[in-house]
């Protein structure tokens, strides 16, 4: 099937490990339109570079960079409020995900998905893909399967045709399985970025870094990005 005959899909592309694999998976099956959000996060510039690089390497048709000021203005998250420090991961890795951490951005994915669905409706795309993960995660409430089931009901009720669906292909996978899938797909991990605070080198000690490092270790693969500490 030629590229012009492939169904279109919109991918929410942060530039992180999971979204990198999600984008590679989408590019295998769809003509991909990627949307990246700058929302005042600490590593905004670094994440944008990663998202653009991932988009180029997996071959997306169009890349849209959307900026929103809401989260910076309301604060309440260590990712967007300079007055809240990004914590180190718990000493016991098993404690990760037992409580919602201060890196949670209030109801963030609802805003991201709303924009992605709007674009999908204009493009005639029937799928919106997002690399949400419930296993081995920080326990964010907007990464649960029930959240996406509910969002799909909202889309059904609130769009013209009601037939766009948010798809979460990684949501039930462990992080190590995501790494293995990414290796199989040739996902460009070397340009992805997961750290909550570092921009030149990943800190290696925030929850996102610790989860990523553990995933690569358990998958028996080398993480190709630079770390200040590991």
């Amino acid at each position: 099937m030629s590229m012009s005959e492939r169904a279109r899909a919109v991918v929410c592309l942060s530039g992180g490990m999971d979204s990198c694999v999600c984008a590679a998976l989408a590019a295998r099956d769809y003509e991909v339109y990627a949307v990246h959000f700058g929302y005042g996060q600490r590593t905004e510039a670094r994440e944008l570079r990663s998202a653009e690089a991932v988009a180029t390497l997996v071959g997306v048709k169009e890349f849209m960079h959307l900026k929103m000021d809401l989260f910076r203005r309301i604060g309440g998250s260590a990712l967007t409020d300079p007055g809240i420090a990004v914590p180190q991961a718990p000493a016991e890795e098993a404690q990760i995900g037992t409580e919602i951490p201060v890196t949670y951005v209030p109801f963030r994915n609802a805003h991201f998905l709303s924009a992605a669905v709007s674009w999908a409706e204009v493009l005639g795309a029937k799928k919106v893909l997002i690399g949400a993960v419930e296993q081995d995660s920080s326990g964010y409430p907007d990464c649960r399967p029930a959240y996406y089931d509910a969002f799909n009901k909202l889309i059904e009720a609130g769009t013209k045709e009601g037939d766009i669906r948010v798809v979460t292909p990684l949501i039930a996978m462990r992080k190590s399985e995501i790494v293995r899938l990414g290796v199989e797909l040739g996902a460009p991990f070397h340009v992805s970025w997961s750290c909550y605070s570092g921009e030149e080198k990943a800190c290696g000690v925030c929850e996102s870094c610790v989860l990523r490092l553990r995933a690569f270790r358990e998958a028996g693969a080398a993480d190709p990005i630079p770390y200040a500490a590991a």
Side-chain angles (χ1 to χ4, degrees):
M1 185 182 291
S2 71
M3 183 67 75
S4 61
E5 295 172 326
R6 301 174 86 193
R8 294 176 172 183
V10 173
V11 175
C12 294
L13 181 57
S14 70
M17 182 184 92
D18 302 324
S19 83
C20 175
V21 176
C22 187
L25 194 60
R28 183 190 69 184
D29 300 327
Y30 300 99
E31 181 180 85
V32 175
Y33 293 75
V35 57
H36 174 78
F37 299 92
Y39 56 95
Q41 67 269 46
R42 288 173 184 265
T43 54
E44 183 171 0
R46 184 65 184 82
E47 287 182 30
L48 174 59
R49 292 205 308 274
S50 286
E52 288 176 329
V54 170
T56 298
L57 291 170
V58 303
V60 308
K61 176 75 171 178
E62 187 175 337
F63 179 88
M64 180 184 291
H65 175 213
L66 288 181
K67 287 184 68 70
M68 54 178 66
D69 199 34
L70 166 68
F71 298 114
R72 183 191 61 80
R73 292 182 67 178
I74 67 173
S77 168
L79 298 193
T80 57
D81 188 334
I84 304 174
V86 174
Q88 292 190 8
E92 294 292 328
E93 287 186 11
Q95 293 297 309
I96 297 176
T98 57
E99 294 182 358
I100 298 172
V102 295
T103 49
Y104 166 64
V105 180
F107 212 48
R108 180 185 66 180
N109 284 350
H111 298 267
F112 291 178
L113 290 172
S114 294
V117 169
S118 293
W119 196 21
E121 196 165 22
V122 171
L123 291 168
K126 302 304 181 186
K127 296 288 189 293
V128 171
L129 287 85
I130 185 169
V133 177
E134 186 179 36
Q135 304 288 326
D136 296 342
S137 72
S138 293
Y140 298 146
D142 56 356
C143 287
R144 298 169 181 164
Y147 173 88
Y148 294 96
D149 291 342
F151 206 94
N152 277 328
K153 287 184 172 59
L154 178 65
I155 296 167
E156 189 176 344
T159 55
K160 188 160 47 175
E161 301 296 335
D163 58 352
I164 298 167
R165 291 291 173 269
V166 174
V167 181
T168 54
L170 312 179
I171 201 160
M173 297 176 70
R174 296 184 64 85
K175 292 273 193 181
S176 57
E177 294 173 321
I178 294 169
V179 171
R180 292 189 190 103
L181 175 61
V183 170
E184 183 183 318
L185 292 168
F189 285 129
H190 63 291
V191 297
S192 67
W193 198 254
S194 302
C195 185
Y196 286 152
S197 58
E199 295 202 69
E200 296 305 318
K201 291 185 176 181
C203 73
V205 294
C206 70
E207 279 193 8
S208 187
C209 281
V210 168
L211 288 168
R212 176 177 172 137
L213 284 164
R214 184 175 72 183
F216 273 91
R217 185 172 67 246
E218 290 179 349
D223 188 344
I225 70 168
Y227 284 88

